[in-house]
Amino acid sequence: MTLVAEPQLEKAEAASLRTERIVELVQRQGALAVLGIVLVVGLVAYDNFRSFDNAATILVSAAPAALIALGMTFVIITGGIDLSVGSLYVLGGVLAAWASQYGVAAAFAVPLAACGVFGLVQGLVIAYARLAPFIVTLAGLLGARGLMLALSDEGGTTYLVDPGAFKDFGKGELLGIKYSVYLVVVLFVIGMVALYRTRFGQSVYALGGSEDAARLMGVRIRGTQIKVYVLSGLLAGLAGTINAARLGSGVTVLGTGMELDAIAAVVVGGTLLTGGAGTLGGTIAGVLLLQVIQNLINQDGKITSAWQTVISGAFIALVVVAQTYLARLRRVASG
């Protein structure tokens, strides 16, 4: 009996391991696979989609969202959430446009400092007061939006970017691609190194997996929480800064729902909302996938803005359900 049972047990374990690996692969690379399919559909169906200018437009449009999603990935892997990034995005743009009159250094430094302080305060409250990130960052959303309205006379004043190096950065390009896209690529590379190759990155994953286990491993729980929210605030402010340079003004009506778009891109890219798992490569695929879908909808030209929102929402809901199912299937296979 034992001789018969052992091979069967080994086969069951091997099958379970294969299932777990397949599910993990689909969960991590699913967004990239869907992106490939959507790109093929666009290339076949629309002539304008195949143009280099259209590709450049997609990349430029995706740059601010990618920066916000980069910071959000770190936050969500720890098991947290940051709802303030949309307001910090528009606040950063307004501050950058206002500060541009004092030079390019001020145009970058002022919004980064302000948004970094917002992230620091939120991180401190979450880490030491032990309040839910949802509540803390919701308060941050309202606070940042209120500060932006106060600085812009309730949205009635739009600061224009003064001519100079800052405006040149927003309009400049290399090989037909805006400078902001190259900046995003560099920051994602740095982010990957930090997440996969440093002690900080290991702490981020450990905290999201289990706070108690992370504490036993010697992870500085509070320090890690504070760092990810500061990082998220800085990147949201930088996203608003590069957008102000591109538009030539600090537009006050932007940013609404930006936090939800960032969360959607991160989740579509395979990062679990419960924390402990996720990749920046998946986040890039998620950002590009959402941007390409929006571009295809615009290429069609027959779908109203209301139905565009419905389609985007339905797609995100479908992906979240799929991710939840895959996570449950992976737990069953590993258990």
Side-chain angles (χ1 to χ4, degrees):
M1 291 291 293
T2 303
L3 294 176
V4 175
E6 286 183 354
Q8 291 178 342
L9 183 60
E10 290 177 358
K11 289 181 179 179
E13 290 178 349
S16 178
L17 183 59
R18 284 196 301 270
T19 301
E20 184 181 359
R21 288 176 176 174
I22 292 172
V23 170
E24 182 181 3
L25 180 63
V26 172
Q27 193 173 31
R28 290 187 175 185
Q29 306 298 334
L32 183 60
V34 176
L35 175 61
I37 294 171
V38 172
L39 285 173
V40 170
V41 171
L43 292 171
V44 172
Y46 303 103
D47 293 337
N48 291 335
F49 187 81
R50 295 193 287 267
S51 69
F52 177 82
D53 288 343
N54 186 65
T57 299
I58 292 174
L59 293 176
V60 171
S61 299
L67 287 177
I68 296 175
L70 172 58
M72 188 69 75
T73 303
F74 280 84
V75 171
I76 292 180
I77 290 177
T78 65
I81 201 78
D82 190 351
L83 299 180
S84 68
V85 291
S87 293
L88 292 178
Y89 167 71
V90 67
L91 175 63
V94 169
L95 288 174
W98 171 81
S100 67
Q101 61 185 308
Y102 302 108
V104 64
F108 278 97
V110 171
L112 288 178
C115 295
V117 168
F118 261 93
L120 175 61
V121 172
Q122 291 179 152
L124 288 170
V125 173
I126 291 168
Y128 286 95
R130 309 293 294 173
L131 295 179
F134 179 89
I135 299 300
V136 175
T137 58
L138 179 60
L141 178 156
L142 298 174
R145 180 71 63 171
L147 178 58
M148 181 276 297
L149 290 174
L151 293 173
S152 61
D153 299 323
E154 301 293 330
T157 300
T158 300
Y159 296 103
L160 301 179
V161 174
D162 286 359
F166 182 60
K167 192 169 187 177
D168 292 341
F169 170 81
K171 301 295 183 182
E173 58 184 42
L174 178 64
L175 302 177
I177 304 296
K178 297 290 185 182
Y179 293 150
S180 58
V181 176
Y182 294 104
L183 176 61
V184 171
V185 172
V186 170
L187 290 177
F188 260 90
V189 171
I190 295 173
M192 288 178 178
V193 173
L195 187 59
Y196 307 145
R197 301 297 182 186
T198 67
R199 185 175 180 179
F200 169 64
Q202 294 174 354
S203 299
V204 169
Y205 279 112
L207 178 57
S210 170
E211 184 173 329
D212 292 334
R215 185 175 289 106
L216 292 174
M217 292 167 56
V219 173
R220 296 178 58 190
I221 304 298
R222 289 173 174 172
T224 302
Q225 288 177 321
I226 293 170
K227 287 176 183 177
V228 297
Y229 285 98
V230 170
L231 178 63
S232 182
L234 287 171
L235 289 171
L238 180 59
T241 299
I242 66 172
N243 195 58
R246 181 174 69 91
L247 297 178
S249 63
V251 182
T252 59
V253 295
L254 300 177
T256 303
M258 198 77 173
E259 62 280 348
L260 301 181
D261 292 339
I263 294 170
V266 173
V267 173
V268 166
T271 298
L272 299 181
L273 280 172
T274 52
T279 65
L280 289 178
T283 295
I284 295 172
V287 171
L288 291 176
L289 177 58
L290 296 180
Q291 289 291 331
V292 169
I293 289 174
Q294 188 63 47
N295 186 269
L296 288 177
I297 292 174
N298 293 334
Q299 292 281 344
D300 184 86
K302 300 177 182 177
I303 303 175
T304 64
S305 58
W307 281 107
Q308 289 179 18
T309 304
V310 171
I311 293 172
S312 298
F315 174 77
I316 293 169
L318 179 64
V319 171
V320 171
V321 171
Q323 290 285 12
T324 303
Y325 173 76
L326 288 172
R328 188 180 300 124
L329 187 62
R330 186 177 173 185
R331 285 196 298 269
V332 171
S334 61

